[in-house]
Amino acid sequence: MTSKATGTEVVSLDALAKQARDALPKPTSYELFGVQFTMPPIKGLPMDLQERIGSLENGYGVMVEALGREKVNEMVAAGYTLGDLEVIAQDWQKRNGLEPGESPASLAS
């Protein structure tokens, strides 16, 4: 739908955004050391995530935002290491069509 209220055309992106959201991969469920968790599609993360955690390279912060503090505390209690976090991130990125280390923001540029 377009509107010419101000003399310029306004293009509604609602239908395109819905198509893009509908095409996102399904959430991915994992289990490591007896802890089960489900990661949402990377491109489905909120736009202000980077502002809240400082950098999308902050894997721990991404996990807290995506899974919640309680689930991350369960992972820490199970003995997860930074290496384990890297394994999770790499598989999650791969399943979402990203190269390892590529952030969702880089796809918009």
Side-chain angles (χ1 to χ4, degrees):
M1 177 178 187
T2 60
S3 169
K4 295 192 178 189
T6 61
T8 60
E9 183 177 26
V10 177
V11 178
S12 173
L13 297 174
D14 292 337
L16 291 175
K18 182 181 180 328
Q19 286 175 348
R21 288 178 182 209
D22 289 348
L24 290 174
K26 299 295 179 215
T28 303
S29 295
Y30 294 97
E31 181 178 358
L32 180 62
F33 304 137
V35 178
Q36 293 183 3
F37 56 97
T38 301
M39 297 296 290
I42 290 175
K43 290 184 183 179
L45 293 171
M47 194 168 101
D48 66 343
L49 176 68
Q50 186 168 344
E51 180 180 349
R52 289 197 309 266
I53 64 171
S55 167
L56 293 176
E57 307 251 334
N58 175 357
Y60 185 85
V62 170
M63 295 295 277
V64 170
E65 290 291 326
L67 300 175
R69 173 74 58 196
E70 186 176 322
K71 182 56 75 174
V72 171
N73 288 344
E74 184 181 351
M75 295 165 138
V76 170
Y80 281 33
T81 66
L82 292 176
D84 298 329
L85 184 60
E86 187 175 325
V87 168
I88 294 164
Q90 287 175 350
D91 188 77
W92 187 43
Q93 288 172 329
K94 181 182 81 175
R95 291 176 185 275
N96 281 268
L98 301 175
E99 294 295 321
E102 182 180 13
S103 72
S106 70
L107 298 177
S109 49

